[in-house]
Amino acid sequence: MSKDQASTKNPIVSPNAAGITFAFQGERGAFSEDAGHRFFGAASVALPRRNFDELFGVVESGEAAAAVVPIENTLAGAINKNYDLLLEHNLVIVGEAVLRVVHNLIGMPGASVSEIRRVYSHPVALAQCERFLRDNPTIEAVAAYDTAGSVKMVMEAGRRDEAAIAGLSAAVAYDAEVLVPSVESNPQNYTRFLVVARTDRAGAVQAAAPKGGLETKTSVVLSIGHRPGGLHHALGAFADEGINLTKIESRPIPGKPFEYWFYLDFLGAPEQPGVQRALTRLRASAEMVRILGTYPRAETPS
Amino acid sequence: MSKDQASTKNPIVSPNAAGITFAFQGERGAFSEDAGHRFFGAASVALPRRNFDELFGVVESGEAAAAVVPIENTLAGAINKNYDLLLEHNLVIVGEAVLRVVHNLIGMPGASVSEIRRVYSHPVALAQCERFLRDNPTIEAVAAYDTAGSVKMVMEAGRRDEAAIAGLSAAVAYDAEVLVPSVESNPQNYTRFLVVARTDRAGAVQAAAPKGGLETKTSVVLSIGHRPGGLHHALGAFADEGINLTKIESRPIPGKPFEYWFYLDFLGAPEQPGVQRALTRLRASAEMVRILGTYPRAETPS
């Protein structure tokens, strides 16, 4: 099965998505590339970038219309670097996607599991397959920089005694074979991605995206200084309006030891009167508030 | 200068600390070892462990009386793995220490900076010395597993064209030389460590620790389920009593996608009436509340 055939099997295809170029971090076949094609549809074009700085940079330069940015995993937690990059760059969040993460043991076509002596993957993926690795003590786990990149490496080396742990798309991308499917210890493994775009292109990107469900989400970042009860007062602005906070994440403020940025996600849009009142109250009490974006809430796939 | 001489120069020496054995993660000369000697005094014995799982394990088994656990850095943020281990293990927090992190370029005695072609360190340390590395483009940065371990590696290889980025104690531990001091980009670089012990030994460990300042801190972890406003109500229990929340950190609950544990630190002790009332209210509204420990607040060194 070639890569293009795999992409056309994608169940969520937006009719407006033709031609959108999105960037992702990692090698071809990465989970982020999957998430992008699910969001923008099979006709969209995926542009790989080596690291998260370059991922944001390529959207700012205009080379890609959007970037698909992993922001949290339901087992590993927040991807801190990307929270920081949201603040450093002036991009806007136009959407989100939630992907179920399925890890597979992938090797040379025709290889058998009993032959495998070494398995490569990203350290987080290896940790998420702890049970499989414990049950197969003859396989040595070796940390690598990337899940899909590990499949590429094994295939280029052409070794039947080596394998990688990665998603199905990585097997497809490098004509490798899934030797054991679903080797993850905990199936409740989801990664949430944010889709970010430049302000002047946000409208066009959002028009090309799937319409999503009925619910709308807004992300903001704020700092409250050292005031006692400051965070409680900030959250009270939302609670008093009955606004549902779905996520709070704190990150250190560089240069201000033990002060924090708070990233909040809530259901609602700034146009709604209740949200408007909450944001007005928030701006009165917080040191700084920035709206990062308003976008359709993604469903968590089963 | 030998390692023992360096330790006796430590300015904070508790008279009661003789004989306490504490575990730390990393190689000899790690920042965590420094933090432990500062906390327990120069006469304490430091036991190195390879990873954070083994660090908690050695306290549980009783081989070490306490472990010194890095929990947050003022530039890099929370050390997620250690938040999770606090919940997985039934240890109690008996103290905290805040260490100023100073990175140095360390190499063979007599080597000069112009000779260095490669520098090894932990990726976070390399990122924190970005400016120095940019100003010295002939030095290639290579990620390694540990700061102090990088010094050990360079000294064992005996190469004058290689160096490491690590703390002063690592130079002392391996008879290496500081070639350039303070190569960190941002001097507001502090790591906060928690000191954890087994419940049945907490009293003895706390008696051996420095008495600290006037302020007391308590750490709790709680889950609130999916209720709208749940976190606001939880924080309100503290705000209404005028209790100062110093830190909030969220971590995913494995198996419950997009639900979170919240780790809160606040000033006060469970014996105080206001704190007692707040905890009673918290227990009534939260799904689960666990007190992780009450301990003297550490000063942030200048």
Side-chain angles (χ1 to χ4, degrees):
Chain A
M1 185 165 68
S2 81
K3 175 124 226 317
D4 289 339
Q5 283 171 319
S7 296
T8 54
K9 286 179 64 183
N10 194 310
I12 305 168
V13 179
S14 160
N16 308 314
I20 276 278
T21 297
F22 70 86
F24 69 98
Q25 186 273 328
E27 296 275 359
R28 292 267 168 219
F31 289 111
S32 295
E33 187 183 12
D34 271 7
H37 281 304
R38 277 183 180 256
F39 188 82
F40 286 116
S44 57
V45 179
L47 193 67
R49 277 298 170 267
R50 277 186 309 175
N51 58 49
F52 293 128
D53 286 298
E54 293 182 12
L55 182 62
F56 277 72
V58 81
V59 177
E60 229 157 41
S61 74
E63 206 181 328
V68 174
V69 181
I71 198 75
E72 62 170 318
N73 173 270
T74 57
L75 298 176
I79 291 109
N80 292 336
K81 172 79 178 169
N82 288 335
Y83 273 102
D84 295 344
L85 286 170
L86 282 176
L87 195 65
E88 286 168 33
H89 292 261
N90 207 20
L91 303 178
V92 59
I93 304 170
V94 296
E96 66 170 3
V98 177
L99 198 77
R100 163 99 154 77
V101 175
V102 179
H103 291 303
N104 308 282
L105 188 75
I106 296 171
M108 296 277 294
S112 83
V113 186
S114 59
E115 293 174 273
I116 305 300
R117 290 292 163 266
R118 242 178 324 281
V119 61
Y120 298 90
S121 197
H122 190 279
V124 171
L126 292 173
Q128 292 183 345
C129 302
E130 205 180 15
R131 198 179 304 157
F132 173 81
L133 293 169
R134 211 172 34 224
D135 292 347
N136 291 274
T138 56
I139 303 179
E140 184 200 0
V142 182
Y145 68 106
D146 192 33
T147 55
S150 298
V151 177
K152 187 182 178 190
M153 199 173 65
V154 166
M155 292 302 290
E156 281 175 356
R159 293 188 61 152
R160 290 173 62 94
D161 61 343
E162 294 188 341
I165 286 175
L168 179 61
S169 295
V172 174
Y174 304 106
D175 295 318
E177 191 175 309
V178 172
L179 307 180
V180 186
S182 290
V183 292
E184 69 274 15
S185 310
N186 187 332
Q188 298 291 335
N189 191 345
Y190 298 90
T191 297
R192 179 175 163 241
F193 297 84
L194 298 177
V195 181
V196 297
R198 230 164 60 185
T199 317
D200 59 341
R201 298 178 77 172
V205 173
Q206 221 153 14
K211 288 299 150 273
L214 290 172
E215 288 183 309
T216 298
K217 231 170 165 177
T218 296
S219 296
V220 299
V221 56
L222 56 107
S223 68
I224 51 169
H226 261 319
R227 232 164 322 147
L231 185 60
H232 171 252
H233 287 295
L235 302 189
F238 295 100
D240 292 349
E241 299 288 347
I243 297 167
N244 194 352
L245 207 70
T246 57
K247 171 87 179 125
I248 179 169
E249 191 63 46
S250 69
R251 290 289 302 147
I253 303 183
K256 291 186 172 179
F258 305 110
E259 289 191 36
Y260 306 92
W261 294 114
F262 293 101
Y263 292 81
L264 308 180
D265 294 343
F266 59 85
L267 297 185
E271 302 81 58
Q272 294 162 357
V275 174
Q276 239 168 46
R277 284 191 296 271
L279 288 173
T280 302
R281 261 182 68 188
L282 196 62
R283 288 202 179 92
S285 71
E287 279 185 353
M288 195 284 272
V289 183
R290 186 178 134 200
I291 296 176
L292 295 169
T294 295
Y295 47 92
R297 183 189 205 177
E299 296 288 320
T300 299
S302 54
Chain B
M1 183 166 68
S2 81
K3 173 126 223 324
D4 290 338
Q5 282 172 319
S7 297
T8 55
K9 286 180 65 185
N10 195 311
I12 304 169
V13 179
S14 159
N16 307 314
I20 277 278
T21 297
F22 70 85
F24 70 98
Q25 187 273 329
E27 295 275 359
R28 293 263 169 224
F31 288 111
S32 294
E33 187 183 12
D34 271 7
H37 281 304
R38 277 182 182 256
F39 188 83
F40 286 115
S44 56
V45 179
L47 192 67
R49 277 297 171 268
R50 277 186 308 175
N51 58 50
F52 293 128
D53 287 297
E54 293 182 12
L55 182 63
F56 277 72
V58 82
V59 178
E60 230 158 39
S61 74
E63 207 182 327
V68 174
V69 181
I71 197 74
E72 62 170 320
N73 173 270
T74 57
L75 298 176
I79 292 110
N80 292 337
K81 171 81 179 169
N82 288 335
Y83 274 102
D84 295 344
L85 286 170
L86 283 176
L87 195 65
E88 285 169 32
H89 292 261
N90 206 20
L91 302 178
V92 58
I93 304 170
V94 297
E96 67 169 5
V98 177
L99 198 77
R100 163 97 155 79
V101 175
V102 179
H103 291 302
N104 307 282
L105 187 76
I106 297 171
M108 297 277 294
S112 82
V113 186
S114 59
E115 292 174 274
I116 304 299
R117 289 293 163 264
R118 242 178 324 280
V119 60
Y120 298 90
S121 197
H122 189 280
V124 171
L126 291 174
Q128 291 182 347
C129 301
E130 204 180 16
R131 196 178 306 156
F132 173 81
L133 293 169
R134 209 171 37 224
D135 292 347
N136 291 273
T138 57
I139 303 179
E140 183 200 1
V142 181
Y145 68 106
D146 192 33
T147 54
S150 298
V151 177
K152 187 183 179 189
M153 200 173 67
V154 166
M155 292 302 289
E156 281 174 358
R159 292 189 62 151
R160 290 174 63 94
D161 62 342
E162 295 188 341
I165 285 175
L168 180 59
S169 294
V172 174
Y174 304 106
D175 295 318
E177 191 175 310
V178 172
L179 307 180
V180 186
S182 293
V183 291
E184 70 272 16
S185 309
N186 187 334
Q188 297 291 334
N189 190 346
Y190 298 90
T191 297
R192 178 175 163 239
F193 298 84
L194 299 177
V195 182
V196 298
R198 229 163 60 183
T199 317
D200 59 342
R201 298 177 77 172
V205 173
Q206 221 153 14
K211 288 301 149 273
L214 290 172
E215 287 183 308
T216 298
K217 230 171 165 177
T218 296
S219 296
V220 299
V221 56
L222 57 106
S223 67
I224 50 169
H226 261 321
R227 232 164 323 148
L231 184 61
H232 172 252
H233 287 296
L235 301 188
F238 296 100
D240 292 349
E241 298 289 348
I243 297 167
N244 194 351
L245 207 69
T246 58
K247 170 91 179 124
I248 179 168
E249 192 64 45
S250 69
R251 290 289 301 148
I253 303 182
K256 292 187 172 180
F258 305 111
E259 290 190 36
Y260 306 91
W261 294 114
F262 293 102
Y263 291 82
L264 307 181
D265 293 343
F266 59 85
L267 297 185
E271 303 81 57
Q272 295 162 357
V275 174
Q276 241 166 45
R277 284 190 296 271
L279 289 173
T280 302
R281 260 183 69 189
L282 196 61
R283 287 200 179 92
S285 70
E287 279 185 352
M288 195 285 271
V289 182
R290 185 177 136 201
I291 296 176
L292 295 170
T294 295
Y295 47 92
R297 182 188 205 178
E299 297 287 321
T300 299
S302 54

